[in-house]
Amino acid sequence: MRKSNNLCFLLFFILIIFSFNALAQSSSKISGHVIDSLKKPIEGASIRLINGHDTLRTNADAKGNFAFLKVTRNKFYITITALGYKPFTTIYEIESSKKNIVLDPVVLQIETIRLEDVQVKVKVDPIKIKKDTIEYNAGAYTVRENDKVEDLLRQLQGIEIDEKGAVTAMGKKMTKLRVNGEDFFTNNVEDYIRQLPADIIAKIQVIEDYGDEANFTGIKTGTPQKMLNLVMKPGKDKGIFGGVNVNTATNNAHSLAGKGNIWKKTKQIGFGGRYGITNNEFTKSNNGALSGNIRDKISKEFTVNGSYDFSEGTNKSIQSNYLETFNPQGTIYDLRESINNSNSLTNNINLGLNGSTKKNYFNVMLAGALADTRNDAFSTSNKTGIIRQDLSSNLGSRNSNPNLNGSINWSRRLSNNKRSLSMGFSFGNSGGNTNSSINDMIRYYNETTNILLKDSILNRLVDNNTLSSNFGGNIQFSNSLKKSKDSTGYNFINVSYRFMVSRSRNLQTTKVNSPLGNSFVVDSLGQDYVSNFINQNISIGYNANKNQLSYNFGVNFSPSIIIGQYRNTGQKLKNYQLNFSPSANLSYQMKENESFSFDYSGATNSPDFNKLQPIRNNNDVQNLIIGNPDLKTTASHTADFSYNKFGIKSGLSIMAGLSGTFAINSVVSNTVFLRDTLNSLKQQTTFENVNGIYNIGANYSANKRMLDNKFSLSINGNIAYSHNVFYTDNVLNRSRGINVSNGFKFNLNQKKYAFNTSASYSFSSNTYSVMNQNIKNVQVVALSGSASWIPNKHFRVNASASKSLNFGYSLYAGNPLLVNVGMNTSFLKGNRLLFSVQANDLFNQGALFSTSITNNSISENRTRFISRFIQATLSYNLSQFGGKNSKLNSNINVDE
């Protein structure tokens, strides 16, 4: 019996031991997310989990996610490594009862890698498309020695750069520049893409940016702006760059410019200056400028920045303008010539303080400007058609405009980051003083015989003083609708209130000289009014963000009121408006390298006080202006759709967009022709509300890359339809416009040579309901090509040619053939000294020509200048990035 009891006890003891062992071996699932400082996933990161004596290994997927299914201890180590980032190691301790643990996102910081010269060639994907980001891998494109970021950007699909350096992405201008996710100097995109060398860039990102405050709170509403972010190669996140260049040209144009920049990661100091002079038949200018800026991270949480810009210059220009205005009574043809001489002096200063902690974000900004401008202009206007008269005018004016504005914004995360509160305040004050001397001579002709009937001379001295001030504020509260333990995404509902109060005064005094030389004040040509404007906005919105999908939608209510008073007459004006507008945004990552987005927004715009006031404005004796106090607020609605796809295997990328805008209660002018004492016509303009103004447009771009991305074929184009409504002689009229353009491009980029050619066709047609459906068609066929030969790193030859065939213009546009050739050679260590010669427009056929359409008027402009000249440039460039031991060959491709 005792043996039996002992055996039972032994079996029971063994059973208990096994039970404890089984309990001890119970496992948990551990998952997490690896991102960089821009909150972008890091694909392929290596993760090790040390669990007692066991080591588990895995890699992050394309979305940066990782998971370990069987972790048997509640205390473990995790180590994460990735190329180009600092290693991450930490210890975790979890509750034993939890079986599914989601760790907080792990943020890897960029590592400074110090290597000797190496050459690594890896096939990389040139484009990665995400929900709100298009990322270009610089290693997939041709980068030559001495190339700048601008040269690299010109190779990227969907990005265009004009002759002034302005960058647009799918038709939207880049407004902000960052490097490695941090603000870079003054955010001057045009300036810094021409200074930074291309061989230090690892990636270029085009980001839909909603602002710093939105990135902090996670509440992204409104229409995003295009931001350019440059990701540097490891070890290239500091340096000194800049240079000095001297230009001289045969069109008697000469300039001297210098820039310097010191970049030490958290500290940025920049300065520059330029001076230029031009003196020839069509252009006379003398311009100088100085600038300086600083940005410094004074502590872990605080960053300060400041900038100052000064410029002074004199300019002379000559311009021709041809204007056709359609009216039920006939057409007015107006040929205008103008010569302008201006002298300007401007000062701008900006100061800022930014702070960010785990719980708080705030921004303080103060900006001031002082501008003083003098302008002397002589112009002639020769009208034919239903109005036959000549006008010659001399205008001399001086304008002074000081202004000061600032803002304070603060945000705080509440309740375990599931709630946030934001508040802000802004103010502004501006003034202006303009003194003008206007001397007009009008010649009236008989409409049938063209015989001169009378001369009329009117000389006026106009003194205009304005003073405006405003202040406003906002408050926003956001609350999460998800449980605190749910980390799969976020859902927020947010409520905000904004207000703006502004006050302005305009005092205008006009004196007229009598035939005897005496001057006297003309009350009918003067104004003295004060206006007060109060605008409020109440909005309610919902935001959601998941792995592949993010969206938001909301409604806005905007009550506003304008109260005005005319001090010289005692008349008062009161205009009250209540407006409603919706908004919606959606971004969806369909699959890897394929996404689409949709944006819909509504906005309201109250009519300008000058268009509301019922007082007659006689400043322009040929066009009297009378406001309409019954105008309603304009409500505009805009929708944008975009689609992006890149085929990794096929090398074919497609970008397409569709947009539309329509307005309710648009404010348009109503031009009425009146007979004067000589039975000649003059204009009187009033304002009315109309419906039916809308625009629809689409654009596309398809690019096929071959031969290891050295060869590409692309087609692109857009089509737009516009419908306008306007009044002429109290009659409601409509105009319709169609604009179509398509182009084909061929690019071949090799280290030793490059060749680019393109052909495009554009068609513009405008039809009016007046003048029996008068139609204006303009067609342009453009052919262009360029080539470069780079036999070695010290020498380059380039040439370009373009031919335009213009049809349908009234002014002589010609069909210019523009040919340019040039060469440059470099000297000294690191090719720091560069000498170049460029011959422009060898056949002297260039001209600046443009056309624009407004309601029932078509305007064509031509600016005359010397286009054929030879220019020589001597530049000394300083470009040193990284430390002495961080030299990295430009052939390395860094691919996360």
Side-chain angles (χ1 to χ4, degrees), residues 56 87 110 115 133 137 145 213 242 251 298 315 386 448 451 453 483 516 637 678 682:
L56 306 177
I110 294 177
L115 300 173
T133 302
N137 194 319
E145 195 161 354
E213 189 172 349
N251 62 342
I298 57 178
N315 294 278
I386 62 173
T448 50
I451 297 176
L453 299 178
K483 297 180 180 179
L516 299 178
H637 300 265
L678 293 175
K682 64 179 180 181

Side-chain angles (χ1 to χ4, degrees), residues 122 218 305 399 611 793 818:
V122 182
N305 64 275
N399 186 277
K611 294 180 180 179
K793 64 181 181 179
L818 307 179

